[in-house]
Amino acid sequence: MRRPVRIGVGGPVGSGKTALLDCLCKSMRDRYQLAVVTNDIREDASINFEAMAEMQQRFPNLDILFLESGGDNLAASFSPELVDASIYVIDVAGGDKVPRKGGPGITRSDLLVINKTDLAPYVGADLNVMDRDSRMMRGAKPFVFTNLKTRHGVDEVVTWIRRDLLFEN
């Protein structure tokens, strides 16, 4: 039994983690065997290990296993030991200062998703500032702007998964 690529998806409550997973699953389900395990960050990590192991046993041909972890602030995320790579989702409604505030999700995630770009003019967030600060805080690590309601940016996330995690051309 081969082990699927395990991708963690974390971020503050309401940032769009579930919406991102919905878009990714719909975009990738025709080509890959996918599963999602959701959890509450306050739960014991051993529960997550058991749930992931059960999914891998029940579905031995899984290509990708997503682990969605709820968080309540910029520092909250899941245990990195659970996954091969992590995606951290923030939204522009928190303001354009969020990337420069840093925190483990911003600085350590393998991919940063900045969601709800359509709200920027309504909350006074400058996407150029978020772009600049994301580059400053993340260095060479990638980030993507998305509007998951319109699926803008989803293809970029899928491309990142295929190229950087599944090692496809």
Side-chain angles (χ1 to χ4, degrees), residues 96-156:
D96 55 21
K97 65 192 174 300
V98 173
R100 94 174 141 260
K101 284 186 171 184
I106 302 291
T107 59
R108 295 184 195 152
S109 62
D110 297 291
L111 178 68
L112 174 64
V113 172
I114 303 170
N115 189 30
K116 302 181 185 178
T117 55
D118 57 314
L119 298 180
Y122 304 107
V123 297
D126 186 332
L127 297 179
N128 291 320
V129 169
M130 295 185 91
D131 182 276
R132 180 199 70 207
D133 292 347
S134 294
R135 290 178 197 283
M136 178 181 66
M137 296 304 293
R138 293 183 57 76
K141 291 182 180 175
F143 61 94
V144 176
F145 285 97
T146 63
N147 175 354
L148 297 173
K149 290 211 179 266
T150 63
R151 299 181 50 81
H152 174 78
V154 173
D155 289 343
E156 290 178 68

Side-chain angles (χ1 to χ4, degrees), residues 2 24 48 52-53 55-56 59 62 64 68 85 91 93 112 114 121-122 124 126-128 131 134 138 142-143 164:
R2 66 185 167 87
L24 291 175
N48 298 322
M52 290 171 58
M55 290 298 272
Q56 288 174 226
F59 305 100
L62 280 179
I64 301 172
E68 178 185 10
D91 70 272
L112 174 64
I114 303 170
Y122 304 107
D126 186 332
L127 297 179
N128 291 320
D131 182 276
S134 294
R138 293 183 57 76
F143 61 94
D164 292 15

